[in-house]
């Protein structure tokens, strides 16, 4: 029988995290170990203080790191190295299993020996707005599918779509492909998924495996989140430059607007367009972050620690309006001195 470990990165965990642990322990296929990679111990201790959490869940292992040490790829890779199972299920602290068959359904996808990773369907919470609910349905449809390199022509970048909100990995394939990129601002799941596809493996979307996970971001939050997305794609042109991504975004906006008209929610179309504009603006700025001043980047990103730990921040380019091209601060200083 296959052994399975669960990995959960946490930062300021709340009651949803406790619910997640409880539901994982009630699964029809139980995890052997639950590895928690927690950022900033004081917040974790504050949640579980006096709860006898560790006595109740003896298979939970907790490792603490500082916020400065956290990285989307490296932290998860560190956790994977601690796993001992045949499969590792990565989740986020705010993803709650809908039922007791989440692990069972994800595991079923690996009956196909070519599947290296399988990810779950994300359902909106009851508090989600109309636009967020439709977006979840668009990205996580009711029908399961298995994606391979043959799908690149018609699916484009969606071939690489995978989410570590809830995704299970075949550990042997993970190790063979080198694992998550060790330093990335965002998108470690899709970067690895691209390696999966390009290596001849497959990615399974398992609609039968379901978690509740959604966010109603503000326009500013959407812009900042998509800025980080753009940065991750700019840093990996070998993956993202050759596949179409804009068409998928336009399709989502068009179909959402049509849905709002049909369901009597025309009043929300303006909000949709503003929200979509913020997403696209953030994405474009992220794709071109090398031309931006450091202070802009600091305001646009959701992950300031990434830039603090990255030497590229020191060489971030500024636009020289007199010449019409980017120069590093050092180059501008030298030109002024001349």
């Amino acid at each position: 029988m296959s052994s399975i470990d669960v990995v959960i990165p946490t930062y300021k965990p709340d009651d949803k995290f406790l619910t997640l642990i409880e539901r994982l322990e009630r699964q029809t296929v139980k995890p052997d170990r639950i590895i928690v990679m927690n950022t900033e111990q004081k917040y974790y201790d504050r949640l579980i203080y006096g709860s006898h959490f560790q006595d109740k869940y003896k298979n939970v292992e907790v490792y603490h790191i500082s916020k400065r040490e956290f990285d989307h790829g490296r932290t998860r890779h560190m956790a994977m190295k601690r796993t001992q199972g045949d499969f590792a299920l990565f989740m986020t602290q705010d993803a709650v299993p809908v039922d007791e068959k989440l692990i069972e359904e994800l595991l079923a996808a690996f009956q196909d020996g070519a599947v290296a990773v399988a990810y779950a369907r994300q359902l909106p919470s009851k508090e989600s707005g109309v636009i967020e609910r439709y977006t979840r349905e668009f990205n996580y449809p009711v029908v399961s599918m298995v994606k391979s390199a043959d799908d690149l022509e018609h699916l484009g970048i969606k071939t690489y779509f995978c989410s570590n909100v809830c995704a299970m990995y075949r550990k042997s394939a993970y190790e063979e492909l080198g694992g998550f990129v060790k330093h990335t601002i965002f998108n470690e799941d899709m970067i690895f998924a691209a390696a999966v596809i390009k290596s001849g493996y497959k990615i399974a979307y398992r609609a039968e495996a379901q978690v509740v996970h959604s966010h109603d971001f503000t326009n500013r939050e959407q812009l900042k989140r998509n800025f980080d997305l753009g940065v991750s794609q700019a840093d990996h042109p070998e993956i993202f430059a050759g596949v179409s991504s804009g068409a998928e975004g336009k399709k989502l906006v068009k179909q959402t607007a049509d849905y709002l008209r049909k369901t009597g929610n025309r009043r929300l179309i303006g909000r949709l367009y503003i929200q979509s504009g913020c997403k696209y603006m953030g994405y474009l700025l992220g794709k071109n972050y090398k031309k931006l001043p450091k202070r802009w980047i600091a305001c646009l990103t959701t992950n300031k620690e990434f830039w603090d730990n990255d030497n590229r921040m020191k060489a971030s380019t500024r636009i020289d309006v007199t010449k019409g091209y980017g120069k590093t601060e050092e180059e501008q200083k030298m030109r002024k001195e001349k």
Side-chain angles (χ1 to χ4, degrees):
M1 182 159 178
S2 299
S3 55
I4 298 160
D5 293 334
V6 177
V7 173
I8 310 171
T10 58
Y11 177 59
K12 296 184 179 180
D14 56 18
D15 288 343
K16 275 188 179 180
F17 168 72
L18 299 178
T19 302
L20 167 59
I21 298 296
E22 180 184 350
R23 294 195 183 182
L24 285 173
E25 297 289 14
R26 297 206 310 246
Q27 293 290 301
T28 55
V29 177
K30 298 186 183 300
D32 293 79
R33 298 156 73 226
I34 299 175
I35 298 170
V36 177
M37 298 297 290
N38 178 68
T39 300
E40 299 297 341
Q41 183 172 352
K42 61 183 178 181
Y43 300 119
Y44 184 88
D45 290 347
R46 189 179 300 167
L47 175 69
I48 67 168
Y49 178 75
S51 66
H52 303 288
F53 178 88
Q54 210 61 48
D55 294 332
K56 184 177 181 182
Y57 303 113
K58 295 187 181 298
N59 63 335
V60 176
E61 301 175 13
V62 184
Y63 302 93
H64 298 288
I65 61 174
S66 68
K67 194 174 181 183
R68 184 174 178 81
E69 291 173 303
F70 175 81
D71 182 274
H72 278 273
R74 183 176 61 250
T75 300
R76 286 178 169 85
H77 183 69
M78 288 168 55
M80 178 63 98
K81 288 169 67 176
R82 296 182 184 276
T83 65
Q84 300 171 4
D86 303 306
F87 299 91
L89 171 58
F90 283 78
M91 300 189 70
T92 55
Q93 67 188 47
D94 57 349
V96 179
V98 169
D99 56 31
E100 298 173 356
K101 292 190 175 183
L102 174 70
I103 295 179
E104 178 183 335
E105 291 291 352
L106 285 171
L107 192 60
F110 294 93
Q111 292 177 6
D112 182 342
V115 169
V117 56
Y119 64 100
R121 185 182 184 196
Q122 296 181 31
L123 301 177
S125 66
K126 294 179 181 178
E127 297 79 22
S128 296
V130 176
I131 295 174
E132 173 65 8
R133 296 182 74 84
Y134 186 81
T135 299
R136 289 288 144 181
E137 185 176 335
F138 180 89
N139 288 325
Y140 301 94
V142 296
V143 179
S144 297
M145 68 181 301
V146 178
K147 299 178 287 186
S148 70
D150 294 337
D151 297 302
L152 278 167
E153 186 173 346
H154 70 279
L155 286 181
I157 199 169
K158 208 161 187 178
T159 310
Y160 300 151
F161 186 75
C162 179
S163 175
N164 272 343
V165 164
C166 186
M168 184 179 288
Y169 294 81
R170 190 189 300 274
K171 190 172 182 180
S172 59
Y174 178 90
E175 292 175 340
E176 177 189 335
L177 298 177
F180 298 125
V181 61
K182 307 309 180 291
H183 186 48
T184 182
I185 192 170
F186 194 53
N187 234 13
E188 81 292 334
D189 37 23
M190 282 186 69
I191 294 169
F192 181 76
V196 167
I197 294 295
K198 292 183 178 184
S199 298
Y201 283 105
K202 299 176 183 178
I203 298 170
Y205 165 59
R206 192 75 176 169
E208 296 81 1
Q210 301 176 356
V211 294
V212 174
H213 178 266
S214 58
H215 295 286
D216 277 317
F217 291 119
T218 65
N219 292 332
R220 183 179 180 183
E221 288 170 337
Q222 293 283 13
L223 187 148
K224 295 176 76 168
R225 181 177 174 83
N226 278 54
F227 175 81
D228 290 349
L229 174 64
V231 170
S232 73
Q233 292 196 15
D235 281 348
H236 293 277
E238 77 283 0
I239 294 173
F240 297 105
V243 291
S244 170
S245 58
E248 192 66 20
K250 292 176 183 176
K251 180 180 176 183
L252 172 59
V253 175
K254 182 181 182 304
Q255 290 192 7
T256 306
D258 290 343
Y259 174 78
L260 293 175
R261 292 188 188 95
K262 292 176 183 177
T263 56
N265 289 289
R266 286 177 174 269
R267 69 189 186 283
L268 296 177
I269 293 177
R271 181 186 300 180
L272 168 68
Y273 288 151
I274 294 171
Q275 183 186 92
S276 300
C278 289
K279 287 182 179 180
Y280 188 59
M281 183 184 300
Y283 174 73
L284 283 182
L285 288 167
K287 288 278 283 186
N288 293 278
Y289 78 91
K290 294 177 183 178
K291 299 177 182 178
L292 299 179
K294 289 189 294 185
R295 64 181 182 276
W296 284 31
I297 292 173
C299 292
L300 288 166
T301 186
T302 64
N303 190 349
K304 289 183 172 62
E305 287 73 24
F306 171 83
W307 300 99
D308 291 340
N309 295 333
D310 194 321
N311 290 328
R312 289 172 309 171
M313 187 64 169
K314 299 173 184 177
S316 177
T317 57
R318 293 177 180 269
I319 297 298
D320 184 340
V321 294
T322 63
K323 295 290 186 180
Y325 58 88
K327 284 184 175 293
T328 65
E329 291 184 33
E330 184 178 353
E331 288 172 332
Q332 291 191 52
K333 183 179 179 182
M334 290 174 62
R335 183 169 61 81
K336 287 177 182 178
E337 290 174 350
K338 290 179 180 179

